[in-house]
Amino acid sequence: MSFELSPLPYADTALEPAVSAHTLSFHHGKHHKAYVDKMNAAIDGTDLAEKSLEEVVAAARGSNQGLFNNAAQTWNHAFYWHSMAADGGAPEGDLAAKIDETFGSLDAFKEEFANRGVGHFASGWVWLAEKDGKLSIEETHDGDTLADSGFNPLLTIDVWEHAYYLDHQNARPAYLKAVIDGKLNWAFAAENLARGTTWTY
Ligand code: MN
């Protein structure tokens, strides 16, 4: 059995102008697909081919960096596609209360989330996560993931240059602002918080 490239949960124009169809054609159709294909090639014929993606990530962590990178990036990108929506809405209920309690306000969260993404050195991911009922902003470098971390990730943004260079060139702040201001999928974050366990591929 091999893993499928998870489809985009919206039309390829849904995230414009923050993330264009042109970017998605490369980011989903080339980059994400390559991670899936390389992972599948690495696990083909092994016991890992029968495991869940989360189990593959955990098994490869610390023991097989090449497989880990491709498996973690397969997971991270699927989670990232779901972390955005055409009309992201706003946090409500328990999630809104926790945002206010942790960051002071939604605007303060947005500013801190953007700042962490802007300040993240080189390639990686910035996350809104939950652990033991507490929210926090986390960062992972390169292909590293929260999939097997003990955190319950609620949202993520890819800050690799391939996520924004075609649309915003080197202006990572403009990309982050555009995503954070209108395209964060707060309904997805609320589902993840309510479930209380890590999203599965
Ligand atoms: Mn990416």
Side-chain angles (χ1 to χ4, degrees):
M1 196 183 79
S2 59
F3 291 96
E4 302 281 340
L5 173 64
S6 62
L8 292 175
Y10 32 67
D12 63 4
T13 54
L15 305 176
E16 293 185 341
V19 178
S20 68
H22 187 50
T23 286
L24 288 177
S25 72
F26 284 92
H27 198 181
H28 178 260
K30 305 290 186 187
H31 291 279
H32 190 186
K33 183 176 188 299
Y35 295 126
V36 177
D37 289 347
K38 288 177 185 172
M39 171 183 64
N40 281 332
I43 66 176
D44 184 39
T46 75
D47 292 347
L48 290 175
E50 304 307 318
K51 302 290 190 183
S52 70
L53 180 56
E54 293 76 19
E55 289 171 324
V56 174
V57 169
R61 181 185 288 279
S63 66
N64 183 338
Q65 189 66 35
L67 175 58
F68 175 79
N69 287 341
N70 287 307
Q73 286 290 70
T74 295
W75 195 97
N76 286 347
H77 283 87
F79 190 84
Y80 168 60
W81 308 134
H82 287 282
S83 293
M84 299 182 288
D87 179 3
E92 296 174 4
D94 186 33
L95 177 58
K98 280 186 154 53
I99 294 271
D100 288 346
E101 176 191 332
T102 308
F103 302 101
S105 67
L106 179 60
D107 283 345
F109 162 75
K110 287 179 173 180
E111 186 176 348
E112 187 173 342
F113 202 42
N115 286 342
R116 292 287 293 273
V118 169
H120 184 92
F121 183 73
S123 296
W125 300 82
V126 58
W127 309 78
L128 174 63
E130 176 264 335
K131 192 175 194 177
D132 301 327
K134 303 283 190 195
L135 299 190
S136 60
I137 296 172
E138 303 296 326
E139 296 173 44
T140 60
H141 287 278
D142 300 323
D144 202 2
T145 184
L146 294 189
D148 62 332
S149 65
F151 283 97
N152 176 19
L154 306 185
L155 294 171
T156 196
I157 302 180
D158 188 338
V159 296
W160 287 55
E161 280 190 344
H162 67 217
Y164 57 87
Y165 211 86
L166 294 175
D167 296 329
H168 305 279
Q169 290 71 57
N170 62 327
R172 190 191 287 182
Y175 156 69
L176 285 164
K177 179 171 172 44
V179 171
I180 291 169
D181 279 350
K183 302 299 184 186
L184 284 182
N185 186 349
W186 288 106
F188 180 61
E191 285 170 25
N192 292 326
L193 180 64
R195 189 189 326 102
T197 56
T198 302
W199 179 86
T200 52
Y201 188 79

